[in-house]
């Protein structure tokens, strides 16, 4: 816990994740807009989710290519911009045809927005606390998403904000997060997946070195014990032969 509390990169990443995900969301308002206004059937809403998931797989493959050539300095702003574009697409969410196109594009863009943030979270975890640090950041992400949906639903229900006004608000507040990206530590932003100096690589090397360092003293100790036994075995007959001489 002390390592996590003292980790500046970890808390920088936590802050950025919270700002990105806490923007007033429209996931629940979108569902009621689909049902009450556009009269979509539950089956068609499931088809929309299937299309978005399929394009999301394409986005994951595309990010796998990009992350090998670029570091997080351009990838994070690009991901946030993709999130903004995905949100703005819902301004044209007026029919079944536009819904299919928008959900497909959103699946692609949201994946390209999500993966750089997950990459940042993985790199920001301190050595020796990788699992706990990443779990902490995912907890912050999930909590921010819940607050985002609650805030968006409250704005529509209590403040009578329209669905499209909520889309504008979500896109605008997400775009403001771009102002926080330059304040992230350079150690996180300037490394790519092909950089041999990545924290994960350093951690693996240190573990190998430490494990080999632990084995060496045990081998030296074993050799010393074996030498001591051999020495005692050669001296004992001499003592007995000396004692037998009158």
């Amino acid at each position: 816990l002390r390592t996590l509390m003292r980790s500046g990169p970890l808390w920088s990443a936590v802050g950025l994740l919270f700002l990105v995900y806490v923007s007033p969301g429209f996931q629940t308002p979108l569902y009621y807009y689909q049902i009450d206004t556009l009269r979509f059937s539950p089956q068609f809403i499931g088809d929309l989710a299937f299309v978005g998931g399929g394009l999301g797989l394409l986005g994951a493959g595309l990010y796998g290519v990009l992350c090998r050539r670029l570091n997080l300095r351009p990838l994070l702003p690009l991901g946030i911009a993709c999130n903004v574009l995905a949100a703005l697409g819902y301004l044209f969410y007026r029919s079944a045809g536009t819904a299919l196109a928008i959900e497909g594009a959103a699946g692609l863009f949201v994946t390209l927005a999500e993966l750089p943030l997950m990459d940042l979270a993985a790199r920001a975890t301190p050595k020796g606390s990788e699992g706990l640090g990443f779990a902490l950041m995912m907890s912050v992400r999930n909590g921010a998403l819940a607050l985002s949906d609650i805030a968006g639903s409250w704005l529509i229900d209590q403040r009578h904000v329209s669905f499209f006004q909520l889309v504008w608000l979500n896109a605008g507040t997400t775009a403001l997060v771009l102002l926080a990206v330059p304040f992230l530590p350079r150690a996180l932003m300037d490394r790519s997946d092909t950089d041999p100096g990545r924290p994960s690589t350093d951690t693996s090397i240190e573990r190998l070195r430490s494990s080999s360092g632990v084995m060496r003293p045990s081998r030296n100790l074993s050799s010393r014990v074996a030498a001591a036994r051999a020495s005692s075995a050669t001296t004992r007959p001499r003592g007995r032969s000396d004692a037998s001489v009158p």
Side-chain angles (χ1 to χ4, degrees), residues 118-131:
M118 297 299 101
D119 198 350
L120 175 69
R123 297 180 189 215
T125 54
K127 296 179 182 179
S129 304
E130 291 87 351

Side-chain angles (χ1 to χ4, degrees), residues 56 58-60 62-63 66 75 78-80 82-83 107-117:
L58 178 62
L62 180 59
Y63 182 78
L66 292 175
L75 286 177
L78 178 63
I80 294 173
C82 286
N83 206 346
L108 175 64
F109 288 143
V110 169
T111 301
L112 291 174
E114 179 89 0
L115 291 180
L117 295 170

Side-chain angles (χ1 to χ4, degrees), residues 11-239:
W11 293 108
S12 298
V14 166
L16 186 75
L17 290 175
F18 181 80
L19 291 176
V20 170
Y21 291 111
V22 81
S23 300
F26 52 87
Q27 182 177 359
T28 298
L30 174 63
Y31 175 76
Y32 286 102
Y33 176 73
Q34 292 170 329
I35 294 293
D36 298 335
T37 303
L38 299 179
R39 303 296 180 181
F40 289 167
S41 65
Q43 179 180 353
F44 185 70
I45 294 175
D47 294 338
L48 293 176
F50 176 79
V51 172
L55 270 293
L57 291 176
L58 178 62
L62 180 59
Y63 182 78
V65 175
L66 292 175
C67 69
R68 296 177 183 274
R69 301 182 179 182
L70 302 172
N71 55 37
L72 284 179
R73 188 164 297 279
L75 286 177
L76 267 179
L78 178 63
I80 294 173
C82 286
N83 206 346
V84 174
L85 290 176
L88 290 177
Y90 285 88
L91 294 173
F92 306 95
Y93 209 94
R94 309 279 182 172
S95 64
T98 57
L100 280 170
I102 292 168
E103 291 289 350
L108 175 64
F109 288 143
V110 169
T111 301
L112 291 174
E114 179 89 0
L115 291 180
L117 295 170
M118 297 299 101
D119 198 350
L120 175 69
R123 297 180 189 215
T125 54
K127 296 179 182 179
S129 304
E130 291 87 351
L132 184 59
F134 192 81
L136 172 64
M137 284 186 278
M138 293 304 99
S139 298
V140 171
R141 170 190 178 274
N142 294 336
L145 282 173
L147 290 175
S148 169
D149 195 43
I150 292 173
S153 301
W154 180 81
L155 287 172
I156 283 186
D157 185 53
Q158 300 296 325
R159 296 298 178 181
H160 306 291
V161 174
S162 69
F163 173 76
F164 297 106
Q165 288 175 336
L166 184 59
V167 169
W168 277 112
L169 181 60
N170 177 272
T173 52
T174 302
L176 288 176
V177 182
L178 289 169
L179 299 176
V181 173
F183 295 98
L184 292 172
R186 292 184 179 180
L188 298 177
M189 301 292 289
D190 293 337
R191 289 174 177 169
S192 64
D193 277 0
T194 56
D195 187 356
R198 289 185 65 194
S200 58
T201 306
D202 293 341
T203 303
S204 301
I205 293 174
E206 290 299 328
R207 287 176 180 173
L208 289 174
R209 288 178 178 175
S210 61
S211 62
S212 62
V214 170
M215 294 299 293
R216 286 175 184 172
S218 61
R219 287 197 293 266
N220 294 337
L221 181 60
S222 299
S223 61
R224 291 178 181 177
V225 171
R229 289 178 178 176
S231 176
S232 62
T234 55
T235 55
R236 284 177 182 174
R238 292 178 183 177

